[in-house]
């Protein structure tokens, strides 16, 4: 006995396989399987039928894309180009924000050194005071 006892196979066992045949016929554009009893089952189509169906499907697809009913998937080049543009836009926005921050910092430091009475009415004091005219004295200026 061999070591394959858990599979139920002994060394004296012989596995025999028999070839399986399948009978098929081409009926027009269909491929039909016929068994021993004459039963018929469609299992496929001919290459010409497939090619015709593929041609029609592509025509419909292209028409739907043209009418903008569907959008075709983006190519990897298009995706990469969009990502590059998005990164450039984000970098530009970050540079603008950095400039705005610098302008605000400079504006705040210059407004604290000016007299509060020269500010227009309705202007909120920049240094976080209550607007009593003593805005910069709280920050040591």
């Amino acid at each position: 006995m061999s070591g394959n006892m858990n599979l139920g196979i002994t060394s004296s066992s012989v596995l025999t396989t028999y070839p399986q045949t399948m009978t098929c016929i081409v009926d027009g554009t269909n491929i039909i399987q016929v068994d021993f009893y004459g039963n018929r089952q469609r299992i496929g189509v001919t290459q010409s039928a497939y090619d015709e169906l593929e041609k029609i499907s592509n025509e419909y697809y292209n028409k739907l894309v043209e009418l903008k009913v569907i959008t075709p998937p983006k190519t990897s080049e298009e995706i990469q180009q969009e990502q590059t543009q998005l990164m450039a836009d984000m970098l530009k926005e970050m540079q603008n924000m950095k400039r705005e921050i610098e302008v605000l910092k400079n504006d705040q430091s210059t407004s604290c050194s000016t007299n509060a009475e020269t500010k227009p009415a309705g202007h909120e004091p920049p240094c976080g005071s209550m607007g009593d005219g003593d805005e910069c004295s709280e920050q040591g200026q």
Side-chain angles (χ1 to χ4, degrees), residues 22-100:
M22 182 170 79
T23 305
C24 298
I25 58 171
V26 175
D27 184 16
T29 58
N30 295 317
I31 300 173
I32 309 290
Q33 177 184 4
V34 182
D35 67 8
F36 179 73
Y37 300 105
N39 298 319
R40 298 166 62 106
Q41 181 177 358
R42 182 176 165 206
I43 60 169
V45 295
T46 61
Q47 187 66 42
S48 62
Y50 180 84
D51 292 342
E52 181 66 24
L53 179 61
E54 186 177 37
K55 179 184 168 201
I56 293 169
S57 297
N58 285 334
E59 288 174 6
Y60 278 109
Y61 176 81
N62 292 336
K63 189 65 172 175
L64 291 172
V65 169
E66 179 184 319
L67 295 172
K68 298 187 180 187
V69 174
I70 60 174
T71 56
K74 295 178 182 176
T75 64
S76 58
E77 292 83 16
E78 291 172 326
I79 292 170
Q80 185 177 12
Q81 184 179 13
E82 285 181 1
Q83 289 176 340
T84 302
Q85 183 61 43
L86 182 61
M87 293 297 286
D89 292 345
M90 288 174 39
L91 179 61
K92 201 179 295 183
E93 186 64 30
M94 290 172 61
Q95 290 170 342
N96 289 340
M97 291 171 67
K98 188 174 180 179
R99 276 189 238 119
E100 288 176 13

